[in-house]
Amino acid sequence: MTDIKQVQTEIITVGHKLIHSGLVTGSWGNISVRVDAATIAVTPSGRDYLSLQEVDISLVDLMGNQLGGNLLPSSELPLHLAVYQARGDVQAIVHTHSVFASACAVARRGIAPIIEDLVQVVGGSVDVAPYALPGTIELANNVVKTLGKKNAVLLANHGVLGCGETLSEALLCCELVEKAAQIFIYGQFLGGAVSLSEADCLTMHQFYDEQYRYRQGDKKNV
Ligand SMILES: [Zn+2]
């Protein structure tokens, strides 16, 4: 059985990492974890990550009803819930407004499958979900549709969402997308970033999926 307090602590730890790595500024962005079949833990709305305590992390059901936590859940809760409902394999979600990923998102240019670590973990290109206002069901639906079976998606004029089978994997997706976005932009300046072939992307993603993911002692559901 998953320890809720442990999940809340891990969410706070990842929140600190988002601030210290520069992936998030202020209280923007959000983090969630599927605690069990009926419970999602999610960062609260509009709070500084560095001030968060375990009791501040909201607990909600899959319909968004609050089950616990001192504060209101993130205003992007509909986005998180839609991804969990569409993707039974997703156990955690990290959403950031990081700079290079957002540059691609405002240009509405998806990040081509140009670098190996990105395609291994994310599963290929990072496509752009059509724009909708933050916090809306329309945005949630656009994101789910564009995300498909991959582990990351850009949100037009907004930011990036990464997901995975663990919280550390969802964070890794956001880190890899930010790095790939920077490489993609620089590559374009140098004459054009060259994409990996679809077959090579598939081979690398399958290798990661089947053989690499849990090698480093990463535990499912955390
Ligand atoms: Zn956002």
Side-chain angles (χ1 to χ4, degrees), residues 76 95 97 158:
E76 288 292 10
H95 164 56
H97 299 173
H158 185 158

Side-chain angles (χ1 to χ4, degrees), residues 98-222:
S98 60
V99 173
F100 287 97
S102 295
C104 293
V106 300
R108 305 203 179 177
R109 290 283 304 274
I111 303 165
I114 49 163
I115 200 87
E116 293 181 349
D117 48 14
L118 176 81
V119 303
Q120 282 176 0
V121 180
V122 166
S125 61
V126 186
D127 305 320
V128 186
Y131 185 78
L133 286 170
T136 60
I137 298 293
E138 187 186 0
L139 176 63
N141 290 339
N142 292 349
V143 165
V144 164
K145 198 169 169 190
T146 307
L147 176 67
K149 293 180 177 173
K150 292 179 184 170
N151 287 333
V153 62
L154 296 175
L155 286 60
N157 299 78
H158 185 158
V160 56
L161 179 143
C163 58
E165 293 189 8
T166 63
L167 182 51
S168 55
E169 189 175 59
L171 172 64
L172 179 63
C173 284
C174 288
E175 292 169 335
L176 290 175
V177 169
E178 181 62 5
K179 182 170 84 79
Q182 189 171 4
I183 293 167
F184 183 55
I185 292 165
Y186 289 166
Q188 295 296 75
F189 277 125
L190 292 172
V194 178
S195 295
L196 293 160
S197 74
E198 208 171 301
D200 286 343
C201 289
L202 187 63
T203 300
M204 282 188 276
H205 184 54
Q206 278 178 344
F207 170 76
Y208 172 79
D209 238 4
E210 293 163 9
Q211 298 186 45
Y212 192 80
R213 179 175 271 140
Y214 298 112
R215 266 187 199 167
Q216 293 170 345
D218 205 5
K219 286 180 285 174
K220 217 168 177 171
N221 292 321
V222 296

